[in-house]
Amino acid sequence: MFSKLLVANRGEIACRIMRTARRLGIRTVAVYSEADAGALHVRAADEAVAIGAAPAAQSYLAITRIVEAARASGAEAVHPGYGFLSENPAFVEAIERAGLVFIGPSAAAIAAMGDKIAAKKLAEGAGINSIPAHLEPLSDAEHAAAVAAAIGYPVMIKAAAGGGGKGMRVALSAEQVKEGFARAQSEAQSSFGDPRVFIERFIAEPRHIEIQILADAHGNIVHLGERECSIQRRHQKVIEEAPSPVVDDAMRAAMGAQAVALAGAVGYRSAGTVEFIVDRERRFYFLEMNTRLQVEHPVTELVTGLDLVEQMIRVAAGEHLTLRQDQVMLRGAAIEARVYAEDPVRGFLPATGRLRRFRPPPASDAIRLDAGAEEGDEISVHYDPMIAKLCAHGATRAAAIAALERALDRFVIRGVEHNVGFLRAVVSRPRFHAGALSTDFIAEEFPDGFWLDTLDPGTRERLIAVAAVAQHQEAARAAGLAPAARASAWVATVAGADVAVEVIHGDAGSRVRIAGRSHSVAT
C-alpha cells in the first residue's frame, strides 16, 4: 500500500478521495492554482503544492507541473479524480516515466476508449450491442448527408474525441445534417483539438444507463450493477440513481456481461464505466466507456457498500480483487442530485460569488453529501460550478425519493444563485416518481424553461402564508413587541407578481388570507 498520494484535482472529488486515503492511513498532497489557495481541498490535505495561475491550462491541466509537484512532495502515486487530466494518456505516461503509480487504467486502455470511433469498432469486435453507425470520419457535408441517408433518420452527428455533449447534433433531414456537420466539426475542433465527427442512428426516447465495472491487473473483472443517468440538460447529467427503475435482473446480467467483455477486450484495470443507450423496447446499445471514476459513483457505493476509491487504490497497488460476481449485492436504492452554482431561470447560467451561507442537511444513514466548498468559500469563474453532490439512500426507490425531497427542502445556500429549487422540482414530478425517464425529461417537463412559479397553486399559497407569518413575527420582535392580535397587510412578490396577504395573529396561532382564501398557521 502507498504511504503518500497526490490528488491531481480540486473541489468535491479531491476532498472525497482524501477521505478514503485518510481512512487507509495514506497521507495526501493537494495541488492548487492561485484561485484555489484557500480552497477546501487544500485545507483537507496533509500538504499542498501550488502549481500555477487560475486558468486550468496553466495549473490543473499542466502535466509537467503536476508531475513535478508529485516528485517534490514524495508522493508515490497520483489519483486524477474525474475531468481535467483523468483520461489523458500522456498524463499517465508522464506519471509512470517519473517512477510514480497512476491510480487508474493504462494509457493504452484510455487511448483506445477515448476515441469514440475506435471504441465502437473494438466493441463491435467484442460482440457488444452497438447502434447502427458509420464508423469512419466524415470528409464533408455531402458525405455526411449520404451516410445519414444510408443509416436512416433521425441521426446523431458526434465528435470522435471528447465528451460532455460537445460536438453533438441531432439531424432529421439532409439539410440539418449539412448544417449540423459544420457546427459539430467546428465545436469538436475548438473543444478537443480534433475535428473528426461521425454519424450514428439517433435513438428516440432514450434512457442513459451505465454499468460500473472493477478490474484488477490479474484478469479479474466484476460489474457492480447499473446507474440510470437519464435526467440531463444539454447532455450534462443532473440526477443519477442506482438501480435503474427499468432494469430487471435479466437485463442487468446481460448488460453487465457485455461491460465485462469490453473491459476484458481492452485489457482494463481499475474502476471504469461502460455506458449504454436503452430504447423504448428496452434494447440496449453501447455508447462509450469512461476510463475513470464517474461523478455519480456515490450511488453505486450506497447500494453495494463498496468504496470505489479504495478499490482503485488497492488495484493500483497490485492487489487482487477480493470480490466475486456472485458476491455483488444491491441493497435498496440511491439517488444523487448535483448541486450547482447556476441560475436555472436564466438557462442554467453559471454563477459565481461567495457562499455567504451554506447549510446542507445533516448527514445520516439516509443522506450523504460530497461537497467541495464550505460556508465563506468563493465559487470561481475559472472552474466547473458544481458545489456538491447530495445523495439519498432508502430501502426502496420511493423511500430514497422521499429522503432526497426532505434533504433538498433543508438545503440552504445564500450568496450565489443555485439549482436546489430546480432539483426539488424535478424529483417531485409525478413522472419522476413513476420512473418514466428519458434524456428528454427536462425538455419535456419544462418546455418553457424553469420558472420559480412552477409550484402548484396550493403549495405556493402555503409557502406565502408561512413567509407572511414569519415576516409578521420578525417585525414584531425587531420592534420589541409581542405579535399583537391584530391584522397586518403584506405584499408577497412571487416570480415578479405581487400577491396581497393579510395576517391576523392570535394566541392560538395565525390566520392568513390570500385572494379570499384563509390558511391557519401554527408556530
Side-chain angles (χ1 to χ4, degrees), residues 63-149:
I63 293 176
T64 301
R65 293 179 183 178
I66 293 175
V67 173
E68 289 174 350
R71 296 181 66 178
S73 68
E76 301 157 281
V78 175
H79 197 304
Y82 56 74
F84 292 133
L85 295 168
S86 62
E87 294 180 286
N88 187 320
F91 183 51
V92 181
E93 292 167 349
I95 291 292
E96 294 176 345
R97 281 197 304 270
L100 307 171
V101 176
F102 180 76
I103 299 179
S106 67
I110 292 174
M113 292 293 101
D115 185 311
K116 289 185 175 61
I117 293 176
K120 287 181 179 293
K121 289 181 177 179
L122 194 152
E124 285 188 354
I128 311 300
N129 298 352
S130 297
I131 301 172
H134 179 79
L135 298 180
E136 296 295 340
L138 301 168
S139 56
D140 53 37
E142 293 297 332
H143 182 207
V147 167

Coordinates of all heavy atoms in Angstrom, one line a residue, residues 63-149:
I63 N 0.6 19.2 -17.1 CA 1.2 17.8 -16.8 C 2.5 18.0 -16.1 O 2.7 17.4 -15.0 CB 1.3 17.0 -18.0 CG1 -0.1 16.6 -18.6 CG2 2.1 15.7 -17.7 CD1 -0.1 15.8 -19.9
T64 N 3.4 18.8 -16.7 CA 4.8 18.9 -16.1 C 4.7 19.4 -14.7 O 5.4 18.9 -13.8 CB 5.6 19.8 -17.0 OG1 5.7 19.2 -18.3 CG2 7.0 19.9 -16.4
R65 N 3.9 20.4 -14.4 CA 3.8 21.0 -13.1 C 3.3 20.0 -12.0 O 3.7 19.9 -10.9 CB 3.0 22.2 -13.1 CG 3.7 23.3 -13.9 CD 2.8 24.6 -13.9 NE 3.4 25.6 -14.8 CZ 2.9 26.8 -15.0 NH1 1.7 27.1 -14.5 NH2 3.5 27.7 -15.8
I66 N 2.3 19.2 -12.4 CA 1.7 18.2 -11.5 C 2.7 17.1 -11.2 O 2.9 16.7 -10.1 CB 0.4 17.7 -12.1 CG1 -0.7 18.8 -12.1 CG2 -0.1 16.5 -11.2 CD1 -2.0 18.4 -12.7
V67 N 3.4 16.6 -12.2 CA 4.4 15.6 -12.0 C 5.5 16.1 -11.1 O 6.0 15.4 -10.2 CB 5.0 15.1 -13.4 CG1 6.2 14.1 -13.2 CG2 3.9 14.4 -14.2
E68 N 6.0 17.3 -11.4 CA 7.0 17.9 -10.5 C 6.5 18.0 -9.1 O 7.3 17.8 -8.1 CB 7.4 19.3 -11.0 CG 8.2 19.3 -12.3 CD 8.4 20.6 -12.9 OE1 7.8 21.6 -12.4 OE2 9.2 20.8 -13.9
A69 N 5.2 18.4 -8.9 CA 4.7 18.5 -7.5 C 4.7 17.2 -6.8 O 5.0 17.0 -5.6 CB 3.3 19.1 -7.6
A70 N 4.3 16.1 -7.6 CA 4.3 14.8 -7.0 C 5.7 14.3 -6.6 O 5.9 13.8 -5.5 CB 3.7 13.8 -8.0
R71 N 6.7 14.5 -7.4 CA 8.0 14.1 -7.1 C 8.6 14.9 -5.9 O 9.2 14.4 -5.0 CB 8.9 14.3 -8.3 CG 8.5 13.4 -9.5 CD 9.4 13.5 -10.7 NE 10.8 13.0 -10.4 CZ 11.8 13.0 -11.3 NH1 11.5 13.4 -12.5 NH2 13.0 12.6 -11.0
A72 N 8.3 16.2 -5.9 CA 8.9 17.1 -4.9 C 8.3 16.8 -3.5 O 8.9 16.9 -2.5 CB 8.6 18.6 -5.2
S73 N 7.0 16.3 -3.5 CA 6.3 16.1 -2.3 C 6.6 14.7 -1.7 O 6.3 14.4 -0.6 CB 4.8 16.2 -2.5 OG 4.3 15.1 -3.3
G74 N 7.2 13.8 -2.5 CA 7.5 12.5 -2.1 C 6.3 11.5 -2.3 O 6.3 10.4 -1.7
A75 N 5.3 11.9 -3.0 CA 4.2 11.1 -3.3 C 4.6 9.9 -4.1 O 5.5 10.0 -5.0 CB 3.1 11.8 -4.0
E76 N 4.0 8.7 -3.8 CA 4.3 7.5 -4.6 C 3.3 7.3 -5.7 O 3.5 6.5 -6.6 CB 4.2 6.3 -3.6 CG 5.2 6.4 -2.5 CD 4.8 5.5 -1.3 OE1 4.0 6.0 -0.6 OE2 5.4 4.4 -1.2
A77 N 2.1 7.8 -5.6 CA 1.0 7.6 -6.5 C 0.2 8.9 -6.8 O 0.2 9.8 -5.9 CB 0.1 6.5 -6.0
V78 N -0.5 8.9 -7.9 CA -1.3 10.0 -8.3 C -2.7 9.5 -8.6 O -2.9 8.6 -9.5 CB -0.7 10.8 -9.5 CG1 -1.7 11.9 -9.9 CG2 0.6 11.3 -9.1
H79 N -3.8 10.1 -8.0 CA -5.1 9.9 -8.4 C -5.7 11.1 -9.1 O -5.6 12.2 -8.6 CB -6.0 9.6 -7.1 CG -7.3 8.9 -7.4 ND1 -8.2 9.5 -8.3 CD2 -7.9 7.8 -7.0 CE1 -9.3 8.7 -8.4 NE2 -9.1 7.6 -7.6
P80 N -6.2 10.9 -10.3 CA -6.6 12.0 -11.1 C -8.1 12.5 -10.9 O -8.4 13.5 -11.4 CB -6.5 11.5 -12.6 CG -6.9 10.0 -12.4 CD -6.4 9.6 -11.1
G81 N -8.9 11.8 -10.1 CA -10.3 12.1 -10.0 C -11.0 12.0 -11.3 O -10.8 11.0 -12.0
Y82 N -11.9 13.0 -11.6 CA -12.5 13.0 -12.9 C -12.3 14.3 -13.6 O -12.0 15.3 -12.9 CB -14.0 12.6 -12.8 CG -14.8 13.5 -11.9 CD1 -15.1 14.8 -12.2 CD2 -15.2 13.1 -10.6 CE1 -15.8 15.7 -11.4 CE2 -15.9 13.9 -9.8 CZ -16.2 15.2 -10.1 OH -16.9 16.0 -9.3
G83 N -12.5 14.4 -14.9 CA -12.2 15.7 -15.6 C -10.8 16.0 -15.6 O -9.9 15.1 -15.4
F84 N -10.4 17.2 -16.0 CA -9.0 17.6 -16.1 C -8.2 16.6 -16.9 O -8.5 16.3 -18.0 CB -8.4 18.0 -14.8 CG -9.0 19.2 -14.1 CD1 -9.4 19.2 -12.8 CD2 -9.2 20.4 -14.9 CE1 -10.0 20.3 -12.2 CE2 -9.7 21.5 -14.3 CZ -10.1 21.5 -13.0
L85 N -7.2 15.9 -16.2 CA -6.3 15.0 -16.9 C -6.6 13.6 -16.7 O -5.8 12.7 -17.1 CB -4.9 15.3 -16.4 CG -4.3 16.6 -16.8 CD1 -3.0 16.9 -16.0 CD2 -4.0 16.8 -18.3
S86 N -7.8 13.3 -16.2 CA -8.1 11.9 -15.8 C -8.2 10.9 -17.0 O -8.0 9.7 -16.7 CB -9.5 11.9 -15.0 OG -10.5 12.3 -15.9
E87 N -8.4 11.4 -18.2 CA -8.5 10.5 -19.3 C -7.5 10.9 -20.4 O -7.8 10.8 -21.6 CB -9.9 10.4 -19.9 CG -10.9 9.8 -18.9 CD -12.3 9.7 -19.4 OE1 -13.0 10.8 -19.4 OE2 -12.8 8.6 -19.8
N88 N -6.3 11.4 -19.9 CA -5.3 11.8 -20.9 C -4.2 10.8 -20.8 O -3.4 10.7 -19.8 CB -4.8 13.2 -20.4 CG -3.8 13.8 -21.4 OD1 -3.0 13.1 -22.0 ND2 -4.0 15.1 -21.6
P89 N -4.0 10.1 -21.9 CA -2.9 9.0 -21.9 C -1.5 9.6 -21.7 O -0.7 9.0 -21.0 CB -3.0 8.4 -23.3 CG -4.4 8.7 -23.8 CD -4.7 10.0 -23.2
A90 N -1.3 10.8 -22.2 CA 0.0 11.5 -22.0 C 0.3 11.7 -20.5 O 1.5 11.6 -20.1 CB 0.1 12.8 -22.8
F91 N -0.7 12.0 -19.7 CA -0.5 12.2 -18.3 C -0.1 10.9 -17.6 O 0.8 10.9 -16.8 CB -1.8 12.8 -17.7 CG -1.8 13.1 -16.2 CD1 -0.7 13.9 -15.7 CD2 -2.7 12.6 -15.4 CE1 -0.7 14.2 -14.4 CE2 -2.7 12.9 -14.0 CZ -1.6 13.7 -13.5
V92 N -0.8 9.8 -18.0 CA -0.4 8.5 -17.4 C 1.0 8.2 -17.7 O 1.8 7.8 -16.9 CB -1.4 7.4 -18.0 CG1 -1.0 6.1 -17.4 CG2 -2.8 7.8 -17.7
E93 N 1.4 8.4 -19.0 CA 2.8 8.1 -19.4 C 3.8 9.0 -18.6 O 4.9 8.5 -18.2 CB 2.9 8.3 -20.9 CG 2.1 7.2 -21.7 CD 2.0 7.6 -23.2 OE1 2.4 8.7 -23.5 OE2 1.5 6.7 -23.9
A94 N 3.5 10.2 -18.4 CA 4.4 11.1 -17.7 C 4.5 10.7 -16.3 O 5.6 10.7 -15.7 CB 3.9 12.6 -17.8
I95 N 3.4 10.3 -15.6 CA 3.4 9.8 -14.3 C 4.3 8.6 -14.1 O 5.2 8.5 -13.2 CB 2.0 9.5 -13.8 CG1 1.1 10.7 -13.6 CG2 2.0 8.7 -12.5 CD1 1.5 11.6 -12.5
E96 N 4.1 7.7 -15.1 CA 4.9 6.4 -15.0 C 6.4 6.6 -15.3 O 7.3 6.0 -14.7 CB 4.3 5.4 -15.9 CG 2.9 5.0 -15.4 CD 2.2 4.0 -16.4 OE1 2.6 3.9 -17.5 OE2 1.2 3.4 -15.9
R97 N 6.7 7.6 -16.2 CA 8.1 7.9 -16.5 C 8.8 8.4 -15.3 O 10.0 8.3 -15.1 CB 8.2 8.9 -17.7 CG 8.0 8.3 -19.0 CD 8.6 9.2 -20.1 NE 8.0 10.5 -20.1 CZ 6.8 10.8 -20.7 NH1 6.2 9.9 -21.5 NH2 6.3 12.0 -20.6
A98 N 8.0 9.1 -14.4 CA 8.6 9.7 -13.2 C 8.8 8.7 -12.1 O 9.2 9.1 -11.0 CB 7.7 10.9 -12.8
G99 N 8.4 7.4 -12.4 CA 8.6 6.4 -11.4 C 7.4 6.4 -10.4 O 7.5 5.8 -9.3
L100 N 6.3 7.0 -10.8 CA 5.1 7.0 -9.9 C 4.0 6.1 -10.4 O 4.1 5.6 -11.5 CB 4.6 8.5 -9.8 CG 5.6 9.6 -9.4 CD1 5.0 10.9 -9.6 CD2 6.0 9.4 -8.0
V101 N 3.0 5.8 -9.6 CA 1.9 4.9 -10.0 C 0.7 5.8 -10.3 O 0.3 6.6 -9.5 CB 1.6 3.9 -8.8 CG1 0.4 3.1 -9.2 CG2 2.8 3.0 -8.6
F102 N 0.1 5.5 -11.4 CA -1.2 6.2 -11.8 C -2.3 5.4 -11.3 O -2.4 4.2 -11.6 CB -1.2 6.4 -13.3 CG -2.5 7.0 -13.8 CD1 -2.7 8.4 -13.6 CD2 -3.5 6.3 -14.3 CE1 -3.8 9.0 -14.1 CE2 -4.7 6.9 -14.8 CZ -4.9 8.3 -14.6
I103 N -3.2 5.9 -10.5 CA -4.3 5.2 -9.9 C -5.5 5.3 -10.9 O -6.3 6.2 -10.9 CB -4.7 5.7 -8.6 CG1 -3.6 5.6 -7.6 CG2 -6.0 5.0 -8.0 CD1 -3.8 6.1 -6.2
G104 N -5.5 4.3 -11.9 CA -6.4 4.3 -12.9 C -6.0 3.3 -14.0 O -5.0 2.5 -13.8
P105 N -6.6 3.3 -15.1 CA -6.2 2.3 -16.2 C -5.0 2.7 -16.9 O -4.4 3.7 -16.7 CB -7.5 2.3 -17.1 CG -8.0 3.7 -16.9 CD -7.8 4.1 -15.5
S106 N -4.5 1.8 -17.8 CA -3.3 2.0 -18.6 C -3.5 3.1 -19.6 O -4.7 3.4 -20.0 CB -2.9 0.8 -19.3 OG -3.8 0.4 -20.3
A107 N -2.5 3.7 -20.1 CA -2.5 4.7 -21.1 C -3.2 4.1 -22.4 O -3.9 4.8 -23.1 CB -1.2 5.3 -21.4
A108 N -2.8 2.9 -22.7 CA -3.4 2.2 -23.9 C -4.9 2.1 -23.8 O -5.6 2.3 -24.8 CB -2.7 0.9 -24.1
A109 N -5.4 1.7 -22.6 CA -6.8 1.5 -22.5 C -7.5 2.8 -22.6 O -8.6 2.9 -23.2 CB -7.1 0.8 -21.1
I110 N -7.0 3.9 -22.0 CA -7.6 5.2 -22.0 C -7.6 5.7 -23.5 O -8.6 6.2 -24.0 CB -6.8 6.2 -21.2 CG1 -7.0 5.9 -19.7 CG2 -7.3 7.6 -21.4 CD1 -6.1 6.7 -18.8
A111 N -6.5 5.5 -24.2 CA -6.5 5.9 -25.6 C -7.5 5.2 -26.5 O -8.2 5.7 -27.3 CB -5.0 5.7 -26.2
A112 N -7.6 3.9 -26.2 CA -8.5 3.0 -27.0 C -9.9 3.4 -26.8 O -10.7 3.5 -27.8 CB -8.3 1.6 -26.7
M113 N -10.3 3.8 -25.6 CA -11.7 4.1 -25.3 C -12.0 5.6 -25.5 O -13.1 6.0 -25.6 CB -12.1 3.7 -23.9 CG -12.1 2.2 -23.7 SD -13.5 1.4 -24.6 CE -12.6 0.7 -26.0
G114 N -10.9 6.4 -25.5 CA -11.1 7.9 -25.6 C -11.5 8.3 -27.0 O -12.1 9.4 -27.2
D115 N -11.1 7.5 -28.0 CA -11.5 7.8 -29.4 C -12.8 7.0 -29.7 O -12.9 5.8 -29.7 CB -10.4 7.3 -30.4 CG -10.7 7.6 -31.8 OD1 -11.8 7.4 -32.3 OD2 -9.8 8.2 -32.5
K116 N -13.9 7.7 -29.8 CA -15.2 7.1 -29.9 C -15.4 6.1 -31.1 O -16.0 5.1 -31.0 CB -16.4 8.1 -29.9 CG -16.6 8.8 -28.6 CD -17.8 9.7 -28.6 CE -18.0 10.4 -27.3 NZ -16.9 11.2 -26.8
I117 N -14.7 6.5 -32.2 CA -14.8 5.6 -33.4 C -14.0 4.3 -33.1 O -14.5 3.2 -33.3 CB -14.2 6.3 -34.6 CG1 -15.1 7.5 -35.0 CG2 -14.0 5.4 -35.8 CD1 -14.6 8.3 -36.2
A118 N -12.8 4.4 -32.6 CA -12.0 3.2 -32.3 C -12.7 2.4 -31.2 O -12.7 1.2 -31.3 CB -10.6 3.7 -31.8
A119 N -13.4 3.1 -30.2 CA -14.0 2.3 -29.1 C -15.2 1.5 -29.7 O -15.5 0.4 -29.3 CB -14.5 3.3 -28.1
K120 N -16.0 2.1 -30.6 CA -17.1 1.4 -31.2 C -16.7 0.2 -32.0 O -17.3 -0.8 -32.0 CB -18.0 2.4 -32.0 CG -18.8 3.4 -31.1 CD -19.6 4.3 -31.9 CE -20.4 5.3 -31.0 NZ -21.5 4.5 -30.2
K121 N -15.6 0.4 -32.8 CA -15.1 -0.7 -33.6 C -14.6 -1.8 -32.7 O -14.9 -3.0 -32.9 CB -13.9 -0.2 -34.4 CG -14.3 0.7 -35.6 CD -13.1 1.1 -36.4 CE -13.6 1.9 -37.6 NZ -12.4 2.4 -38.4
L122 N -13.9 -1.5 -31.6 CA -13.5 -2.5 -30.6 C -14.7 -3.2 -30.0 O -14.7 -4.4 -29.8 CB -12.6 -1.9 -29.6 CG -11.8 -2.8 -28.7 CD1 -10.5 -2.1 -28.2 CD2 -12.6 -3.3 -27.5
A123 N -15.7 -2.4 -29.6 CA -16.9 -3.0 -29.0 C -17.6 -4.0 -30.0 O -18.0 -5.1 -29.6 CB -17.9 -1.9 -28.6
E124 N -17.7 -3.6 -31.2 CA -18.3 -4.5 -32.2 C -17.5 -5.8 -32.4 O -18.1 -6.9 -32.4 CB -18.4 -3.8 -33.6 CG -19.5 -2.7 -33.6 CD -19.7 -2.2 -35.0 OE1 -19.0 -2.5 -35.9 OE2 -20.7 -1.4 -35.2
G125 N -16.2 -5.6 -32.3 CA -15.4 -6.8 -32.4 C -15.5 -7.8 -31.2 O -15.3 -9.0 -31.3
A126 N -15.9 -7.2 -30.1 CA -16.1 -8.0 -28.9 C -17.5 -8.5 -28.7 O -17.8 -9.1 -27.7 CB -15.7 -7.1 -27.6
G127 N -18.3 -8.2 -29.7 CA -19.7 -8.7 -29.7 C -20.7 -7.9 -28.9 O -21.7 -8.4 -28.4
I128 N -20.3 -6.6 -28.7 CA -21.2 -5.8 -27.9 C -22.2 -5.2 -28.7 O -22.0 -4.7 -29.9 CB -20.3 -4.6 -27.2 CG1 -19.1 -5.2 -26.5 CG2 -21.1 -3.8 -26.2 CD1 -19.3 -6.2 -25.5
N129 N -23.5 -5.1 -28.2 CA -24.6 -4.4 -29.0 C -24.2 -3.0 -29.3 O -23.8 -2.2 -28.4 CB -25.9 -4.4 -28.1 CG -26.4 -5.8 -27.8 OD1 -25.9 -6.8 -28.3 ND2 -27.4 -5.9 -26.9
S130 N -24.3 -2.6 -30.6 CA -23.9 -1.3 -31.0 C -25.0 -0.6 -31.8 O -25.7 -1.3 -32.5 CB -22.6 -1.3 -31.8 OG -21.5 -1.8 -31.0
I131 N -25.1 0.7 -31.7 CA -26.0 1.5 -32.5 C -25.6 1.5 -34.0 O -24.4 1.6 -34.2 CB -26.1 2.9 -32.0 CG1 -26.5 2.9 -30.5 CG2 -27.1 3.7 -32.8 CD1 -26.5 4.3 -29.9
P132 N -26.5 1.3 -34.9 CA -26.1 1.4 -36.3 C -25.4 2.7 -36.6 O -25.9 3.8 -36.2 CB -27.4 1.3 -37.1 CG -28.3 0.5 -36.2 CD -27.9 0.9 -34.8
A133 N -24.2 2.6 -37.2 CA -23.4 3.8 -37.3 C -22.4 3.7 -38.5 O -22.1 2.5 -39.0 CB -22.6 4.1 -36.0
H134 N -21.9 4.8 -39.0 CA -20.8 4.8 -39.9 C -19.6 5.2 -39.2 O -19.4 6.3 -38.8 CB -21.1 5.9 -41.0 CG -20.0 6.0 -42.1 ND1 -19.9 5.1 -43.1 CD2 -19.0 6.8 -42.2 CE1 -18.9 5.4 -43.8 NE2 -18.3 6.5 -43.3
L135 N -18.7 4.2 -38.9 CA -17.6 4.4 -38.0 C -16.3 4.8 -38.7 O -15.2 4.2 -38.5 CB -17.4 3.1 -37.2 CG -18.5 2.7 -36.3 CD1 -18.2 1.4 -35.6 CD2 -18.9 3.8 -35.4
E136 N -16.5 5.8 -39.6 CA -15.3 6.4 -40.2 C -15.6 7.9 -40.2 O -16.7 8.4 -40.3 CB -15.2 6.0 -41.7 CG -14.9 4.5 -41.8 CD -13.5 4.1 -41.3 OE1 -12.6 5.0 -41.1 OE2 -13.3 2.9 -41.0
P137 N -14.5 8.7 -40.1 CA -14.7 10.2 -40.1 C -15.3 10.7 -41.4 O -15.0 10.1 -42.4 CB -13.3 10.7 -39.9 CG -12.5 9.6 -39.3 CD -13.1 8.3 -39.9
L138 N -16.2 11.6 -41.2 CA -16.9 12.2 -42.4 C -16.0 13.2 -43.0 O -15.4 14.1 -42.4 CB -18.2 12.9 -41.9 CG -19.2 11.9 -41.2 CD1 -20.3 12.7 -40.6 CD2 -19.7 10.9 -42.2
S139 N -15.9 13.2 -44.4 CA -15.0 14.1 -45.1 C -15.6 15.5 -45.3 O -14.9 16.5 -45.2 CB -14.6 13.5 -46.4 OG -15.8 13.2 -47.2
D140 N -16.9 15.6 -45.6 CA -17.5 16.9 -45.8 C -19.0 16.7 -45.6 O -19.5 15.7 -45.3 CB -17.2 17.4 -47.2 CG -17.5 16.4 -48.3 OD1 -18.5 15.7 -48.2 OD2 -16.7 16.3 -49.3
A141 N -19.7 17.8 -45.8 CA -21.2 17.9 -45.6 C -21.9 16.9 -46.5 O -22.9 16.3 -46.1 CB -21.7 19.3 -45.7
E142 N -21.5 16.8 -47.8 CA -22.2 16.0 -48.7 C -22.0 14.5 -48.3 O -22.9 13.7 -48.4 CB -21.6 16.2 -50.1 CG -21.9 17.6 -50.7 CD -23.5 17.8 -50.9 OE1 -24.2 16.8 -51.1 OE2 -23.9 19.0 -50.8
H143 N -20.8 14.2 -47.9 CA -20.5 12.8 -47.4 C -21.4 12.5 -46.2 O -22.0 11.4 -46.1 CB -19.0 12.7 -47.0 CG -18.6 11.3 -46.6 ND1 -17.6 11.1 -45.7 CD2 -19.2 10.1 -46.8 CE1 -17.5 9.8 -45.5 NE2 -18.4 9.2 -46.2
A144 N -21.5 13.5 -45.3 CA -22.4 13.3 -44.1 C -23.8 13.0 -44.5 O -24.5 12.1 -43.9 CB -22.3 14.5 -43.2
A145 N -24.3 13.8 -45.5 CA -25.7 13.6 -45.9 C -25.9 12.2 -46.5 O -27.0 11.6 -46.3 CB -26.1 14.7 -46.9
A146 N -25.0 11.7 -47.3 CA -25.1 10.4 -47.9 C -25.1 9.3 -46.9 O -25.9 8.3 -47.0 CB -24.0 10.2 -48.9
V147 N -24.2 9.4 -45.9 CA -24.1 8.4 -44.8 C -25.4 8.4 -44.0 O -26.0 7.4 -43.7 CB -22.9 8.7 -43.9 CG1 -23.0 7.9 -42.6 CG2 -21.6 8.5 -44.6
A148 N -26.0 9.6 -43.7 CA -27.2 9.7 -42.9 C -28.3 9.0 -43.7 O -29.2 8.3 -43.0 CB -27.5 11.2 -42.6
A149 N -28.4 9.2 -45.0 CA -29.5 8.6 -45.8 C -29.4 7.1 -45.7 O -30.4 6.4 -45.7 CB -29.4 9.1 -47.2

